[in-house]
Amino acid sequence: MNTESKLRLQSYLDNEVSSAEAREIASWIARDAEAKALCDELQGTKALLIAENELPVAVPDSREFYWSKIQQGIERAEREPSREVVARPWWSRLLAPVAGAAALALFVFTSVSTNPARNVAGQTEQSLTDNSITFYSPEHKMTVVWIASAANSADSGSADLDWDEFE
Amino acid sequence: MAQKPEYSTAADPELVKLAQKGDMQAFEELVARHRDKIYARAFSMLRNEDDATDLSQEAWVKGWQRLVQFQGEASFATWMTRIVINLCLDQLRKMKRSRTDSIDQMDDESGGVERQLPIINPNPTERLERGELRQRIDRALNQLSYEHRTVMVLHEFEELEYKMIAKKMGCSIGTVMSRLFYARRKMASLLASLKREELK
């Protein structure tokens, strides 16, 4: 008997087949000893489990003890009511750091876009002695000064610039 | 002054209505009435007393929180049973994720072992006392993988159709059918071997 036939037999026992198919399987069981034996075994196990389920099972704890933990759970849940109702998707947890990073990127971008070397409207002055660059924007009435830290300027050029802003 | 309800004699629907209005004593009475049934379902799926106790208590907390959603289409006990089953399924999924399947389990899953099981006849539990029967069935159930046990519990105990089990377990109907078939055959084989052990 192949697997498909066995599963068909089981579907018949579980009332998961049409009435036409049920008649067909019933006649097969009647003439095939192997199918009949398997059918009896499956039915026997099914009946046993149903009987087992009807046997009483009792909570090992006393009524008071069992209830006290439920009551504590209810009280705890009521103290923090929004946790289950407002279940946020996993990606929402990333929003704050991503938003922070985006704001920083925007800030850096706008700073770079006002880079004195590329800004023709403003005035730029680069000091030869202290590794600082000063930019003045007449339009915004604002002065921006980039100051390279001594340590960084010595070994990494202008990679890490500290900067101050003046109005 | 409103008369204090007689909780111990009130019918379930009456207690549910009171509990829906926030009456904790009414809810406690419901817990006392149905706690064994809810615990039994958790135990049948998890096969561990402590886990079943914890999870059934969690189910009652959820039941209280969602009580306003209970419209009475099914009985209160049935509604609570669904909650505990869903919690058990979640728990079993978590356990599955943290577990590494052995080759034997994979073989079990695909029904490889089943092909070698001889058909068991006659019934290996004939003439057993109730207590002995339970003990033997419990031992056999403990030896099944949780996928097989869960399919069997949902089908035999909750009387769910294949389609509904597949939906609850997130698998195909074909998988439900083969798991159920394997679980029944393995149960028969385990019960027979337990009988042989006892006769030695």
Side-chain angles (χ1 to χ4, degrees), chain A residues 1 3 6-8 10-14 16 34 36-38 40-42 44-46 48-67 69-75 77-78 81 84, chain B residues 24 27-29 31-32 35-36 39-41 49 53-54 56-57 60-62 64-66 114-115 118-121 123 125 130 133-134 137-138 141 152 155-157 160-162 177-178 180-181 184-185 187-188 191:
Chain A
M1 200 188 313
T3 306
K6 290 174 184 174
L7 295 182
R8 226 174 131 227
Q10 175 181 249
S11 302
Y12 162 76
L13 292 175
D14 292 334
E16 293 261 1
E34 194 191 351
K36 172 82 173 68
L38 181 59
D40 288 346
E41 186 205 272
L42 293 173
T45 313
K46 190 179 164 85
L48 266 181
L49 285 164
I50 291 167
E52 203 265 357
N53 188 43
E54 282 161 8
L55 297 176
V57 175
V59 177
D61 299 336
S62 69
R63 174 176 171 160
E64 292 74 23
F65 188 71
Y66 187 77
W67 168 250
K69 203 174 159 196
I70 296 168
Q71 197 172 17
Q72 282 169 19
I74 290 171
E75 284 164 5
E78 283 179 352
E84 190 183 355
Chain B
M24 194 78 99
F27 191 66
E28 189 194 354
E29 178 61 31
V31 173
R35 66 187 201 132
D36 286 346
Y39 166 80
R41 185 53 65 249
E49 275 190 8
T53 305
D54 288 349
S56 63
Q57 284 166 321
W60 285 110
V61 174
K62 287 227 180 298
W64 169 264
Q65 289 176 305
R66 296 174 188 173
E114 182 277 320
R115 281 191 279 275
I119 292 172
I120 309 298
N121 225 350
N123 182 351
T125 59
R130 279 183 123 197
L133 172 71
R134 157 151 289 173
I137 291 174
D138 273 355
L141 277 171
M152 213 146 66
H155 191 272
E156 314 295 24
F157 300 171
L160 295 185
E161 293 178 351
Y162 294 167
M177 287 165 74
S178 57
L180 185 59
F181 185 74
R184 283 168 166 164
R185 299 236 49 218
M187 273 295 286
L191 290 169

Side-chain angles (χ1 to χ4, degrees), chain B residues 71-83:
Chain B
Q71 302 294 320
E73 296 95 350
S75 73
F76 177 73
T78 303
W79 183 74
M80 273 307 303
T81 305
R82 282 183 204 148
I83 293 179

Side-chain angles (χ1 to χ4, degrees), chain B residues 57-110:
Chain B
Q57 284 166 321
E58 198 184 325
W60 285 110
V61 174
K62 287 227 180 298
W64 169 264
Q65 289 176 305
R66 296 174 188 173
L67 206 53
V68 284
Q69 295 166 21
F70 177 68
Q71 302 294 320
E73 296 95 350
S75 73
F76 177 73
T78 303
W79 183 74
M80 273 307 303
T81 305
R82 282 183 204 148
I83 293 179
V84 80
I85 285 176
N86 287 337
L87 281 176
C88 287
L89 289 171
D90 286 346
Q91 172 83 355
L92 294 170
R93 274 186 211 110
K94 280 181 210 158
M95 282 159 62
K96 191 186 178 186
R97 273 201 291 272
S98 63
R99 181 193 72 179
T100 310
D101 282 343
S102 68
I103 293 169
D104 282 352
Q105 281 165 329
M106 283 155 63
D107 197 28
D108 281 4
E109 194 61 34
S110 62

Side-chain angles (χ1 to χ4, degrees), chain A residues 81-124:
Chain A
S82 57
R83 185 170 287 179
E84 190 183 355
V85 179
V86 193
R88 293 190 302 164
W90 65 269
W91 50 264
S92 67
R93 274 175 273 152
L94 299 174
L95 276 182
V98 168
L104 184 65
L106 184 67
F107 186 73
V108 168
F109 175 75
T110 51
S111 299
V112 170
S113 69
T114 57
N115 188 315
R118 293 195 295 156
N119 193 307
V120 289
Q123 294 174 1
T124 309

Side-chain angles (χ1 to χ4, degrees), chain A residues 99-144:
Chain A
L104 184 65
L106 184 67
F107 186 73
V108 168
F109 175 75
T110 51
S111 299
V112 170
S113 69
T114 57
N115 188 315
R118 293 195 295 156
N119 193 307
V120 289
Q123 294 174 1
T124 309
E125 188 181 308
Q126 180 159 13
S127 164
L128 296 171
T129 53
D130 61 359
N131 291 325
S132 66
I133 301 170
T134 308
F135 167 67
Y136 174 69
S137 168
E139 189 189 343
H140 299 99
K141 295 182 180 167
M142 185 176 75
T143 302
V144 180

